[in-house]
Amino acid sequence: GALLTIDDVHVRYGDLVALRDVSLTVAQGEVVCVIGPNGAGKSTLLAAVAGGVTPWRGSIRFGDTEVVGLRPEVVARQGLSLVPEGRHIFGTLTVDENLRIGGFIHKGRADAKADYERLLELFPRLRERLNFPAGRLSGGEQQMLAVARAVMTRPRLLLVDEPSLGLAPRIVDQIYEILLDLRQREGLTLVINEQSSNRILKHADRIYVLRGGRIQLEGRAADLADGE
Ligand code: ADP
Ligand code: ADP
């Protein structure tokens, strides 16, 4: 069944309609990419799912829970994690400190050690740089760290906003490979925003094209790749 069901969602910022008639489903274990130009409403869509923005119409169900009207912390506790655009890390803290904070904020200390060791296995590049100040990592490594922090608490659904922005293709592929590895190992479900479909088609199961706040196209990534 669907892990995420977005039904006829509208979002407004004052007079500006950022999303209209948006309906979308994501199955358990699926990798779905939302593609659209700057201003299309992609970030707004993820924010609405994560509880950061409240639609004025429509429904968003995560599992059995209606999330419209719930606060972000409450949605997060249901097993949802968001990696916002722009590498949200603490630049003056080390990689190690960034990871520990990610775990401790959301959980008690009991599970934190096992979660931490799992992360070092998933992100070998970060393991080699544990004592680096995070602000001195490369852009790609900072993005990896932001993703690592978000998956530390083992979410069921991970939302990632434009992970490839400003990064070299090679490191983008490495980040995607880690995300797909998490799907493979743990059944993580993924919704990823990107501006361009160039690199995402080979990683995603399905794609939605968003433009001007509306879904313009939905399809299996493999079919869309064939057509290019
Ligand atoms: P994308 O992520 O695809 O670039 P956004 O969701 O960030 O699109 O933005 C969609 C539209 O909503 C844009 O026109 C943007 O300027 C506007 N917008 C986004 N956030 C806000 C906000 N907090 N207040 C007012 N307008 C906003
Ligand atoms: P056009 O063909 O002129 O780009 P469309 O209406 O076909 O116009 O496309 C609308 C949106 O869908 C555009 O943003 C376009 O880049 C995107 N799009 C079209 N084809 C694909 C595809 N195969 N994969 C991903 N996005 C696509």
Side-chain angles (χ1 to χ4, degrees):
L3 180 64
L4 179 67
T5 308
I6 299 179
D7 195 19
D8 196 24
V9 158
H10 292 235
V11 171
R12 279 182 162 170
Y13 297 111
D15 288 340
L16 185 130
V17 181
L19 293 178
R20 54 182 94 218
D21 301 324
V22 170
S23 296
L24 167 164
T25 60
V26 181
Q28 167 68 48
E30 203 177 18
V31 177
V32 167
C33 189
V34 178
I35 310 227
N38 209 6
K42 304 182 299 298
S43 301
T44 299
L45 182 65
L46 297 191
V49 173
V53 159
T54 305
W56 63 275
R57 202 171 95 194
S59 147
I60 301 176
R61 283 189 309 285
F62 175 42
D64 297 328
T65 307
E66 173 61 56
V67 304
V68 171
L70 296 184
R71 284 144 46 96
E73 316 83 77
V74 179
V75 182
R77 259 183 260 129
Q78 308 281 321
L80 181 146
S81 201
L82 168 67
V83 184
E85 190 186 310
R87 298 165 211 157
H88 286 244
I89 55 163
F90 298 103
T92 57
L93 300 183
T94 64
V95 169
D96 175 69
E97 288 162 339
N98 269 275
L99 292 175
R100 287 174 190 280
I101 286 172
F104 294 154
I105 283 178
H106 299 288
K107 275 193 177 180
R109 284 176 170 264
D111 302 336
K113 190 161 181 290
D115 288 345
Y116 186 77
E117 278 158 13
R118 158 181 164 274
L119 275 191
L120 298 187
E121 200 186 308
L122 282 164
F123 296 86
R125 255 177 104 136
L126 296 179
R127 189 175 57 213
E128 289 163 20
R129 289 167 176 68
L130 283 178
N131 297 316
F132 258 60
R136 296 218 332 251
L137 296 175
S138 73
E141 289 162 350
Q142 291 185 16
Q143 186 61 268
M144 277 186 185
L145 180 56
V147 171
R149 294 185 62 224
V151 299
M152 183 138 191
T153 55
R154 301 176 194 260
R156 290 188 288 156
L157 175 62
L158 182 68
L159 312 175
V160 194
D161 201 355
E162 299 199 31
S164 70
L165 207 63
L167 298 182
R170 229 182 101 223
I171 192 112
V172 172
D173 282 340
Q174 284 180 27
I175 292 168
Y176 275 119
E177 274 154 27
I178 292 169
L179 292 172
L180 294 177
D181 190 31
L182 274 160
R183 185 260 288 265
Q184 190 75 19
R185 290 190 195 202
E186 304 180 3
L188 178 67
T189 306
L190 284 154
V191 179
I192 304 169
N193 283 351
E194 288 288 7
Q195 289 194 22
S196 138
S197 64
N198 293 346
R199 305 196 76 75
I200 189 71
L201 285 176
K202 68 178 181 212
H203 299 293
D205 297 316
R206 266 188 322 118
I207 285 182
Y208 288 88
V209 175
L210 189 67
R211 185 174 277 239
R214 291 179 190 276
I215 302 282
Q216 292 204 325
L217 180 79
E218 181 270 336
R220 289 188 341 132
D223 297 342
L224 294 171
D226 287 347
E228 280 192 341

